[in-house]
Amino acid sequence: MAAAVARQGQLTKPPGALGRLEELSVWIAGVQGVCPPRAFARVRAVIVAADHGIASVGVSAFPSDVTAQMVANFAAGGAAVNVLARQVGAEVRVVDVAVDTPEPATPGGVDGSAPPGRYRVRRASDRIDRADALSVEEGERAFDIGRMIADEEVDAGADLLVPGEMGIGNTTPAAAVVALLTGREPIEVVGRGTGIDDARWMVKTAAIRDAMRRGRPFADDAHTVLRVAGGADLMALAGLLVQAAVRRTPVVLDGVIVCAAALAAEHIAPGAKNWWVAGTRSPEPAQAHALGALGLTPLLDVGLRLGEGTGALLAVPLVRAAQATLAEMATFDQAGVSGKAGSDGAAGSGEHPRELDAT
């Protein structure tokens, strides 16, 4: 990172002229451990799919059947995430950890060759307003599955991960998790999700309140909060994010569900956030609280609230641009251009807002 800051100061531009691209380039050099950083060769979007029992009380504008239907749409390449992935040259993988169908909705493994049930924890997480989302054993399995997915992707050559999600009702447990981990009240984190009306919004707020009442005794234990008030998808996403940091692989975060899992993951493995960048700002208030606690500022704010990893994929070109400008721009000496008079070679202040521990 220090080498990246120094190189930024030598490129043919005024210090700081590339704005956040400069910060991004320093971060990329840090997570890759090399300057100039390498171009990303394999970007992978991993969608973790799961249903939630709380959807049965009417917290969403859509029925739970839509989760399995959208998983099939992902597999057919017809969803927004597929379209945006094609635009940025990314591949899409869908993993069923708790879709409410008799049989797993997705094949197993990176290439689809593993048994379909390899990643299945259960059929839908339980109603978080009345029961724990997962048992202790299911919570451990979901977290380990997330770690396994990250390992599989990295071992297969992924050098930039984009986690996404699919699950009707999933903004309700995500909001409950964020509120519990940040000390917020239900009214501060509840959002409109799929575009619910006022009546459903009140039902959703009550569901978050009741889930928080059950989860509050465990507020200092993020792993248990995910198990009690979250669900299999949130637990698996947290495991994936933790393991991505262990494997020194950068991640672009998406909307409120992924950010809720990221907040829990940072509590579970402090320092993991240094391997993540926030791709998009969601209209869901819980995401703002999660990102505030993580100290991350989204790269884009275009009103996206779809999830699936779509907002993060939109940010991938910015990440690629940051790498390319640091690696490919000519220096003042190479271009024969005069530098700033009296310049000490530093880009701006010579500091980066998020120092990474390279070890």
Side-chain angles (χ1 to χ4, degrees):
M1 291 181 71
V5 170
R7 180 172 172 81
Q8 280 288 353
Q10 298 164 8
L11 300 181
T12 48
K13 59 175 179 57
L18 287 177
R20 293 213 48 199
L21 290 185
E22 298 189 15
E23 296 177 13
L24 266 178
S25 72
V26 174
W27 173 74
I28 295 166
V31 295
Q32 290 187 353
V34 62
C35 181
R38 301 179 297 271
F40 293 102
R42 191 181 190 200
V43 181
R44 289 281 283 184
V46 180
I47 304 172
V48 177
D51 277 304
H52 295 267
I54 197 65
S56 65
V57 306
V59 297
S60 174
F62 291 87
S64 292
D65 293 349
V66 170
T67 301
Q69 293 164 2
M70 282 302 299
V71 168
N73 192 23
F74 297 143
V81 66
N82 302 105
V83 174
L84 294 176
R86 289 193 288 268
Q87 293 295 310
V88 301
E91 301 171 78
V92 177
R93 176 185 179 188
V94 189
V95 182
D96 169 6
V97 296
V99 177
D100 193 13
T101 53
E103 298 296 329
T106 61
V110 176
D111 58 1
S113 62
R118 184 177 186 184
Y119 309 96
R120 189 76 173 265
V121 177
R122 56 177 289 167
R123 281 187 64 172
S125 301
D126 215 331
R127 275 186 59 174
I128 57 173
D129 60 336
R130 295 184 177 181
D132 294 349
L134 306 169
S135 69
V136 173
E137 294 76 15
E138 289 166 345
E140 293 290 345
R141 174 163 164 73
F143 189 79
D144 289 344
I145 284 171
R147 297 187 67 187
M148 178 171 64
I149 292 168
D151 278 337
E152 290 173 348
E153 293 297 336
V154 176
D155 289 344
D159 53 6
L160 183 64
L161 293 175
V162 178
E165 40 62 40
M166 178 61 217
I168 296 302
N170 58 11
T171 59
T172 299
V177 167
V178 171
L180 286 167
L181 295 179
T182 59
R184 301 286 176 173
E185 294 299 320
I187 197 68
E188 296 181 87
V189 295
V190 64
R192 295 284 175 172
T194 50
I196 56 176
D197 58 20
D198 289 347
R200 288 187 187 272
W201 183 88
M202 287 187 283
V203 170
K204 183 176 181 178
T205 304
I208 294 170
R209 176 201 64 201
D210 293 344
M212 289 179 62
R213 182 181 298 121
R214 300 189 70 262
R216 191 164 283 115
F218 314 105
D220 292 332
D221 180 352
H223 196 282
T224 302
V225 166
L226 287 173
R227 181 183 69 79
V228 172
D233 48 357
L234 286 157
M235 187 70 88
L237 285 165
L240 184 156
L241 289 163
V242 165
Q243 194 64 15
V246 170
R247 297 298 301 272
R248 305 172 67 88
T249 302
V251 174
V252 184
L253 302 179
D254 192 48
V256 63
I257 289 86
V258 172
C259 288
L263 179 62
E266 174 63 16
H267 279 259
I268 293 167
K273 68 178 182 180
N274 289 325
W275 303 93
W276 316 328
V277 64
T280 185
R281 186 179 303 282
S282 167
E284 290 288 310
Q287 195 221 26
H289 293 304
L291 290 177
L294 289 168
L296 300 178
T297 303
L299 297 173
L300 297 173
D301 184 357
V302 290
L304 267 126
R305 56 183 177 88
L306 179 59
E308 302 177 7
T310 52
L313 283 170
L314 282 178
V316 167
L318 290 179
V319 177
R320 282 197 163 124
Q323 178 277 327
T325 50
L326 181 60
E328 300 175 21
M329 280 182 67
T331 65
F332 285 110
D333 286 344
Q334 290 170 334
V337 175
S338 299
K340 181 180 177 182
S343 172
D344 61 1
S349 66
E351 299 177 351
H352 186 258
R354 278 201 300 153
E355 289 299 327
L356 298 183
D357 180 354
T359 62

